[in-house]
Amino acid sequence: NLSVRATNCLESENINTVDTAANTYKQLLNLGYQAGPFGAFDQPMFTSAIRQAQSDLGLSVNGQSSCGLAAMLKLRGYGVVASPIDKKP
């Protein structure tokens, strides 16, 4: 169940973990964001992708990866989270 996994993720959130950054990176790529090379989690391209995703999802923009952001991006990949990503030209 996706909602249970998202809740568990949020309960144990640690913004600065490599696992959290890697998961956020994976979800950003799955949705087409340009997040830079894997492992470059402190680089501007990764931070910029996070900022764009946060903005697209209507979240507060801080440029930090988090378990909650990764969960929201994953849900968005399943079409669960409505957001401005849905805008078409």
Side-chain angles (χ1 to χ4, degrees), residues 9-49:
C9 178
L10 293 172
E11 289 172 355
S12 64
E13 181 170 0
N14 182 347
I15 292 175
N16 296 316
T17 67
V18 173
D19 288 343
T20 299
N23 193 20
T24 301
Y25 177 86
K26 177 182 173 186
Q27 300 311 322
L28 288 167
L29 288 184
N30 286 342
L31 291 172
Y33 291 94
Q34 300 297 314
F38 183 78
F41 304 135
D42 61 344
Q43 297 299 310
M45 195 168 193
F46 182 61
T47 303
S48 178

Side-chain angles (χ1 to χ4, degrees), residues 44 53 59:
L59 302 172

Side-chain angles (χ1 to χ4, degrees), residues 7-8 11 21-22 26 33 40 45-47 55 60 69 81 83 86:
T7 301
N8 291 341
E11 289 172 355
K26 177 182 173 186
Y33 291 94
M45 195 168 193
F46 182 61
T47 303
S55 176
S60 179
L69 174 61
V81 179
S83 73
D86 294 328

